[in-house]
Amino acid sequence: MDRISVPELTGTNYFIWSLKMQAALSLKRLDSVTTQMKPEGLSEKDASEWEQKNSDAVAYIKLSLSDKQALQFVAENNAKILWDKIKSTFTGQTGDRKIYAGNEFKSLQINSNELANDYIARARGIATKCHSLGLDVSPRELVYYTVRGLKGNLLKYETF
């Protein structure tokens, strides 16, 4: 598993991008520089190691941004600040995003020609998005709204 693939951050996929980017940075042992600032009083060797990790993390993050997104963050060279700025950009209006995610979850419907596995994965993704915004979705609610979203398609087959 030498190749790590993170989707490009386009502006509409922040939650999946964040999840995968955190995993990739963790595998590269770079995640610590996105969660804390450079500690005070490091030895010269440790400070140099921290700077290299920070530089590598910034590069990985910036390389995963779409051109449009990269231009917004071009000047940032601190991994934690960059990570926090990206997060606040895409989760900044949390109240509005909570309302939208809650409505998206409660109005979940299977699309025509959508495979059941894809529909379930989409439902779980929306539930994860809700959770990341502070909306708790119980397993029972996930099942309820997922099954309810099948209702329209199931009616087609009731005549058999």
Side-chain angles (χ1 to χ4, degrees):
M1 190 171 127
D2 292 327
R3 183 158 162 70
I4 298 171
S5 177
V6 175
E8 183 177 83
L9 178 62
T10 61
T12 59
N13 65 341
Y14 170 76
F15 295 100
I16 194 69
W17 173 87
S18 174
L19 173 77
K20 289 186 174 188
M21 180 53 72
Q22 285 175 330
L25 292 172
S26 179
L27 284 172
K28 296 286 189 178
R29 308 289 188 249
L30 300 173
D31 53 326
S32 63
V33 295
T34 63
T35 59
Q36 58 189 0
M37 295 299 284
K38 181 178 177 181
E40 298 285 327
L42 291 176
S43 69
E44 189 174 322
K45 179 184 174 200
D46 290 340
S48 177
E49 285 178 17
W50 189 94
E51 290 293 339
Q52 186 61 54
K53 281 185 170 186
N54 179 71
S55 179
D56 290 350
V58 167
Y60 277 113
I61 293 169
K62 285 183 177 180
L63 286 170
S64 73
L65 303 177
S66 70
D67 292 347
K68 181 180 175 184
Q69 302 307 325
L71 291 174
Q72 291 183 38
F73 306 106
V74 69
E76 191 51 62
N77 292 315
N78 179 287
K80 179 178 178 4
I81 294 172
L82 175 60
W83 188 262
D84 291 346
K85 282 182 177 180
I86 292 171
K87 182 178 180 179
S88 70
T89 297
F90 294 100
T91 62
Q93 299 147 341
T94 306
D96 292 343
R97 291 181 190 271
K98 276 184 183 181
I99 292 168
Y100 177 77
N103 287 340
E104 183 181 17
F105 182 67
K106 290 178 180 174
S107 63
L108 184 64
Q109 292 282 321
I110 191 167
N111 297 323
S112 62
N113 300 326
E114 185 174 26
L115 297 175
N117 286 343
D118 294 338
Y119 171 65
I120 291 168
R122 186 166 57 90
R124 286 181 175 159
I126 295 169
T128 300
K129 183 191 321 183
C130 288
H131 178 74
S132 71
L133 290 167
L135 293 173
D136 290 325
V137 175
S138 70
R140 185 180 189 141
E141 286 176 302
L142 178 58
V143 169
Y144 172 79
Y145 287 112
T146 303
V147 171
R148 191 179 82 172
L150 292 170
K151 185 178 178 184
N153 279 6
L154 293 178
L155 290 175
K156 293 177 192 173
Y157 303 107
E158 287 183 342
T159 57
F160 288 129

